[in-house]
Amino acid sequence: MVTISCSCGAVTTSRRNPLQALPLEERMEAVRTAYSAHDGFLTLEVDASWHPGAHDEDDEPGTGCVVLVDMDALDACEGLPDDERRGLATLLGVSHVRGRVLPAPVEVGSVRFRVAPSFGFDSEVTYVVHDGPTTLLELTCPFGGRDELRSLVELYRAHGPAAVVQVDGLAPRIGLAAAVEGVTRARTPSVA
């Protein structure tokens, strides 16, 4: 079962699977070029014929609609032999958004830093920093590259959890990179 959702708010579930009849090579290409993949889940952008309300005259897709199909590894691998299934499942483990590979999670003691695709229709990502059950930072924004997660880790190592919480407060207004830079500069003793 796949979930079909549209940026206009229409959502449905369906037994139709856009990958079901494709051979392995085409499925691999669909995963590589997918809207996003993360932790064994795949989101494909599809054409307007997949719109959740395509069969309802009152809910036709608009010209600005973005229609996405969400599925898990079981659906993506449906109908493949075991050896091909393993290869596709491995590829689904490589997190990316719009072809940009996301950095792997980083753990520093009990603190876990990760980047995941957001749930929006705009190719954004969500940066999350957890210290056990406590969330130090959660920010959805455009993906600025692999250095942004690395800079959060370096900030934490140099200045501790309070600095990461400070970035969480600033980043929605000035952006993640500027917030990390500003907090780092503010917490670093000046050399005169």
Side-chain angles (χ1 to χ4, degrees), residues 20-138:
Q20 187 172 11
L22 298 179
L24 177 64
E25 296 77 26
E26 290 181 36
R27 290 187 200 207
M28 296 276 246
E29 184 60 21
V31 170
R32 279 191 286 275
T33 61
Y35 188 83
S36 69
H38 182 70
D39 283 345
F41 288 90
L42 178 65
T43 301
L44 300 171
E45 186 171 352
V46 292
D47 63 44
S49 68
W50 284 84
H51 191 272
H55 304 294
D56 181 0
E57 291 178 19
D58 298 331
D59 201 13
E60 287 294 315
T63 56
C65 283
V66 176
V67 182
L68 301 177
V69 175
D70 293 310
M71 66 183 72
D72 62 17
L74 291 174
D75 288 323
C77 297
E78 184 180 352
L80 293 175
D82 287 345
D83 58 331
E84 292 180 356
R85 182 182 301 260
R86 280 190 297 276
L88 187 60
T90 299
L91 185 59
L92 279 166
V94 177
S95 294
H96 67 272
V97 172
R98 293 281 184 170
R100 297 183 70 188
V101 176
L102 301 178
V106 175
E107 293 188 15
V108 179
S110 64
V111 180
R112 186 167 196 252
F113 301 78
R114 68 181 177 89
V115 183
S118 73
F119 294 109
F121 292 86
D122 48 15
S123 302
E124 290 188 327
V125 296
T126 302
Y127 291 84
V128 181
V129 180
H130 285 122
D131 185 357
T134 305
T135 301
L136 302 178
L137 177 138
E138 185 168 342

